[in-house]
């Protein structure tokens, strides 16, 4: 049964799940600021369903079962109306089972693209077919990369994304090395000294946050950046800053969104963000922007459907749901948001957008 949208003080209660520890914790300050900005903007307008929105932040950096247990306890009060967040797919799957369709769950992180998601989970993040896979093929076409090495964290999203890359290649043997390491891995020497790495033209990095920054520093120290490029779907400006500009040479990132201050929308969003927090606030990055978009998408969902009840949302999805969000009209194929992918090249601690890739 869906959670009732009535709460004692007439507010809409939203749980935001963002990691505050582990390799993903690097994004927490940016995400907190972006979420608060979205909430302020919604509340200055008409709120959600005519009610003020209020958020509770959940630490998504803990083991999935702990996060899911807290979410389940909060849902059991009957006063939680929606869940949003940026966190690992391992946490998502545990939370989705705990939620069991009692509230809509808007997942803003890139994911593995499996089709067994539970009802009520809306996938706002990037599918491998629209992000990682086309980025690999773009680099093959433009830079002549023919052989790849893959390193990822050892959980479902990296493993399934690696499978998608392998399946897309005409010759599966084009992946000459594939390794998976625990979240929070401190030493990548087993990968960096593996003889098969010498056969690769490029490296696909399927890790999270601080792990990507740590890998890039160790990778750059080997001198390999001069002959092997790297690409990742999981790095934002915080990751570039953590690694340092010298570690980001020939590092490419695929994403559905880069906050480009050269565009009118990008300048406007940055202006509003800086007006709210000042010049020395945590950077508004592609990851934190995903949480901002998720909260605004929740508002658009309520306006369009007229409800936050999961059965009504599922019916709207079946009938071609279209949502007007800050980044434009959002449409869905099933529960997956349809969006374009872009490829950017790191320039020190910023991104230079190269091309639209899907």
């Amino acid at each position: 049964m869906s959670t009732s949208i009535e709460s004692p003080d007439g507010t809409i209660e939203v749980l935001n799940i963002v990691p505050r520890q582990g390799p993903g914790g690097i994004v927490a300050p940016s995400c907190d600021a972006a979420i608060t900005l979205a909430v302020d903007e919604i509340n200055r307008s008409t709120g959600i369903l005519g009610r003020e929105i209020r958020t509770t932040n959940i630490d998504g950096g803990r083991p999935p079962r702990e996060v899911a247990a807290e979410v389940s306890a909060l849902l059991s009060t009957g006063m939680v109306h929606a869940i949003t967040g940026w966190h690992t797919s391992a946490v998502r799957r545990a939370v989705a089972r705990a939620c069991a369709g009692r509230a809509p769950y808007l997942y803003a992180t890139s994911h593995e693209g499996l089709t067994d998601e539970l009802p009520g989970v809306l996938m706002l993040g990037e599918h491998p077919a629209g992000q990682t896979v086309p980025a690999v093929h773009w680099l093959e076409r433009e830079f002549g990369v023919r052989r790849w090495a893959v390193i990822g964290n050892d959980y479902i999203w990296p493993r399934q994304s690696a499978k998608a890359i392998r399946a897309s290649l005409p010759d599966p043997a084009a992946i000459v090395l594939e390794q998976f390491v625990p979240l929070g891995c401190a030493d990548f020497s087993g990968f960096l000294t593996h003889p098969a790495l010498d056969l690769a033209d490029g490296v696909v990095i399927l890790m999270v946050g601080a792990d990507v920054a740590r890998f890039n520093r160790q990778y750059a120290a080997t001198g390999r950046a001069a002959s092997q490029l790297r690409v990742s779907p999981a790095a934002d400006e915080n990751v570039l800053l953590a690694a340092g500009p010298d570690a980001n040479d020939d590092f490419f990132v695929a994403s559905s969104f880069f906050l480009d201050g050269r565009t009118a929308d990008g300048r406007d969003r940055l202006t509003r963000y800086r007006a709210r927090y000042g010049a020395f606030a945590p950077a508004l990055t592609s990851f934190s922007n995903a949480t901002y978009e998720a909260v605004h998408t929740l508002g658009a969902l309520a306006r369009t459907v007229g409800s936050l009840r999961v059965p009504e949302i599922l019916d709207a999805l079946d009938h071609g749901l279209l949502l007007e969000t800050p980044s434009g009209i959002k449409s869905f194929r099933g529960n997956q948001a349809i969006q374009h992918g872009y490829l950017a090249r790191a320039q020190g601690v910023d991104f230079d957008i190269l091309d639209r890739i899907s």
Side-chain angles (χ1 to χ4, degrees):
M1 179 181 296
S2 300
T3 302
S4 167
I5 62 169
E6 296 296 336
S7 57
D9 55 1
T11 60
I12 294 292
E13 305 288 338
V14 181
L15 301 183
N16 288 305
I17 307 174
V18 173
R20 302 186 178 280
Q21 56 187 290
I26 192 173
V27 309
S30 293
C31 289
D32 286 350
I35 288 166
T36 302
L37 178 63
V39 169
D40 287 351
E41 291 173 347
I42 289 170
N43 284 339
R44 283 201 304 270
S45 181
T46 58
I48 290 180
L49 299 176
R51 298 183 175 92
E52 181 180 82
I53 181 175
R54 189 166 62 184
T55 59
T56 298
N57 295 324
I58 303 296
D59 179 9
R62 296 169 294 166
R65 65 182 181 279
E66 292 184 18
V67 182
E70 183 174 6
V71 170
S72 182
L74 290 167
L75 283 167
S76 69
T77 67
M79 294 186 293
V80 172
H81 310 103
I83 303 171
T84 69
W86 188 98
H87 44 273
T88 69
S89 55
V91 169
R92 184 195 80 242
R93 292 175 79 82
V95 169
R97 288 192 294 269
C99 184
R102 288 182 284 175
Y105 181 9
L106 280 63
Y107 184 67
T109 319
S110 59
H111 59 90
E112 61 280 359
L114 297 179
T115 58
D116 61 346
E117 205 59 59
L118 293 174
V121 182
L122 272 65
M123 309 297 277
L124 306 184
E126 298 90 345
H127 187 289
Q131 179 197 37
T132 311
V133 170
V136 164
H137 289 290
W138 191 96
L139 291 166
E140 287 180 330
R141 184 176 66 253
E142 299 295 329
F143 285 85
V145 178
R146 293 293 175 265
R147 292 169 297 186
W148 294 93
V150 177
I151 183 164
N153 289 128
D154 191 7
Y155 70 99
I156 185 171
W157 166 67
R159 287 189 173 274
Q160 290 297 324
S161 294
K163 286 183 181 179
I165 294 168
R166 186 183 295 278
S168 77
L169 297 171
D171 179 10
I175 297 182
V176 298
L177 175 62
E178 185 175 291
Q179 284 190 7
F180 297 94
V181 298
L183 286 160
C185 180
D187 182 4
F188 300 100
S189 59
F191 180 85
L192 294 172
T193 61
H194 196 290
L197 184 57
D198 294 333
L199 304 175
D201 305 308
V203 179
V204 181
I205 306 169
L206 300 171
M207 293 190 288
V208 176
D211 284 4
V212 180
R214 193 178 301 114
F215 175 82
N216 277 345
R217 288 197 300 271
Q218 294 181 28
Y219 182 90
T222 69
R224 290 183 175 275
S227 58
Q228 294 172 323
L229 57 78
R230 288 152 292 155
V231 61
S232 175
D236 70 349
E237 292 83 348
N238 286 314
V239 172
L240 299 186
L241 284 166
D246 293 340
N248 299 326
D249 289 344
D250 280 332
F251 179 45
F252 297 81
V253 174
S255 176
S256 65
F257 183 89
F258 292 96
L259 192 65
D260 187 356
R262 295 170 295 183
T263 65
D265 176 67
R267 286 194 301 272
D268 180 63
R269 198 170 303 188
L270 282 170
T271 297
R272 287 184 281 110
Y273 184 84
R274 288 169 180 165
R276 174 68 169 78
Y277 297 109
F280 298 101
L284 180 59
T285 71
S286 54
F287 289 167
S288 58
N289 181 76
T291 62
Y292 170 91
E293 289 279 345
V295 176
H296 270 291
T297 300
L298 178 67
L301 185 67
R303 286 195 305 273
T304 304
V305 178
S307 169
L308 287 178
R309 299 179 188 275
V310 170
E312 283 90 334
I313 292 170
L314 295 178
D315 182 67
L317 287 169
D318 288 341
H319 288 84
L321 177 66
L322 296 174
L323 301 177
E324 186 175 349
T325 73
S327 60
I329 300 298
K330 194 179 295 294
S331 61
F332 291 82
R333 182 178 295 113
N335 69 334
Q336 169 65 53
I338 300 171
Q339 52 203 340
H340 299 296
Y342 299 89
L343 189 68
R345 189 173 194 164
Q347 298 286 353
V349 295
D350 291 311
F351 289 114
D352 179 30
I353 301 171
L354 299 177
D355 203 354
R356 196 170 93 171
I357 55 175
S358 66

